[in-house]
Amino acid sequence: MSVVTQSGARTGRMRELGLLTLALGVCLLAWILVYQGVSVERAGALPEKFWLVAGVSGGLILVAHVLIRWQAPWADPIFFPAAVLLTGLGLVMIERIDYSLAARGKGTVVDGQMMLAAVGIVLMTATALALRNHRSLRRITYISLILGTILLLLPMVPGIGRSNYGARIWINVLGFSYQPAELAKIFFAIFFAGYLVSQRDNLALAGKKILGIQLPRGRHFGPLLVGWMGCMIILALEKDFGTALLFFGLFVAMLYVATERVSWLIIGGLLTAVGVYFLVQVMPHIQARFDIWLHALDQDVYQAQYGSWQIVQGWFGMASGGLFGTGLGQGYPGNTFAANSDLIVASFGEEIGLIGLLAIFTVYLLLVSRAIKTALDLRDGFGKLLASGLGFAIGLQCFIVAGGVTGVIPLTGLAIPFLAHGGSALLTNWIIIGLLIRMSDAARRPYIPASSPLPSLPDSPDSPDEADDDVADLPADENGEAQEEQTEAETDADRYPTEVVR
């Protein structure tokens, strides 16, 4: 182990620049392979507007890197390059499927997705620059609950909400479609973090022990039941199995982080099983999803309208890809419905094989692990819960999507982060990267106590002096909350040594 001091610490910005260069290079190379792979006549040629796209992308990424280097110099160097790599590979596969759509006379979507990717990088940078101190988000704990609930219920509003393939999860505003549940997950993560950090002692209190499960006390069991009922209502009204599973899983995971009690995971799993079983019995749409999952290869299920044809075609594609794939541009992923969105994992599996898919999911694993590392390094309880919650949100969504495509769980219709076509998920996940960049800057910044003779780093959000300043800046009518934040800052400061050991 080495002791990190102010003079010897490394910010990681040069590593970030190197990884960004590598990520962009991999995406451009994949684009060339797709362009040449779809037609033998294009061998040795570059895609149209290749240098323009490469120059604009490189310039935008470089500007974002410089701004992060300036305002968040201690940020984790993994988040930004990993998001660039995943987004770039998603654009490559979307264009590859566009070639198949164009051959059938259908419209292409890669240009719009590329514009949304650029907007996503801008939103990430703006989030990291505007949020000077992640602890300020704790002041909007209950506002976040209200905003998240409103966003979640917007698809039910007549006139703007619309249904697609049985699920009512979209809204139309000024000609644009948006899935508000994607943005709602950020607000719910903020609410869960703010609520759990103030109630963690109560929630950790143990009640009776039944069948080896340590039950919580009755009066503290209410929040879990409310969260469970809310998710079941969402599932019943909007017929959105994926969103309900994501939100309840996120809440239970953050509850476990706050209390460190395995009993919450067991209780949450049992409640999920009971709720889903009940809704499967009374809702034909959800029951059809489970029939497709359990009997996908039955002839009646395969040939039915909205039957298992889609998922089975994805399985055939992945099977033809084998270990190493058919090669970029040389498979037939366009034969599958929604191959660039719901089934983009199957599209990658066909053309880059199991080995390529494992490499992609390793990048997701790296993203989630760095978010958990950020949570461990942060010196305030709210930040720990929020960073872990955002990491769990990405990880759970990957599991739900990949599990649905491979048949582990029913197909839900959620979009895998960064890769899949769809602006709602892409923009939201880039905002999450911006939040993680800001929090990782606070987590990795060397901690210098007020009594240290060394000068404090500029803009450090983690020193006790600034924690006191944050409290002093609060309005007078928030004295109770200010006192609570000050006590938490002092407690966390006493818990950590003068120097950070990494």
Side-chain angles (χ1 to χ4, degrees), residues 166-231:
R168 192 176 180 87
I169 57 177
W170 295 88
I171 60 173
N172 271 336
V173 179
L174 301 176
F176 294 96
S177 296
Y178 190 77
Q179 190 174 345
E182 289 288 343
L183 186 59
K185 69 185 178 185
I186 296 180
F187 288 111
F188 279 120
I190 294 173
F191 166 71
F192 292 155
Y195 174 80
L196 293 174
V197 77
S198 60
Q199 298 294 325
R200 56 189 171 188
D201 291 337
N202 291 331
L203 293 170
L205 294 175
K208 296 181 179 180
K209 194 171 185 178
I210 300 177
L211 298 177
I213 301 176
Q214 194 75 48
L215 297 177
R217 293 187 177 181
R219 62 179 180 274
H220 301 136
F221 193 57
L224 185 64
L225 287 178
V226 171
W228 174 74
M229 291 180 62
C231 289

Side-chain angles (χ1 to χ4, degrees), residues 314-327 331 345-358:
W315 292 349
F316 288 160
M318 289 189 290
S320 65
L323 277 178
F324 302 101
T326 60
V345 171
S347 301
F348 274 106
E350 179 176 352
E351 297 212 334
I352 63 176
L354 177 62
I355 301 299
L357 269 183
L358 290 177

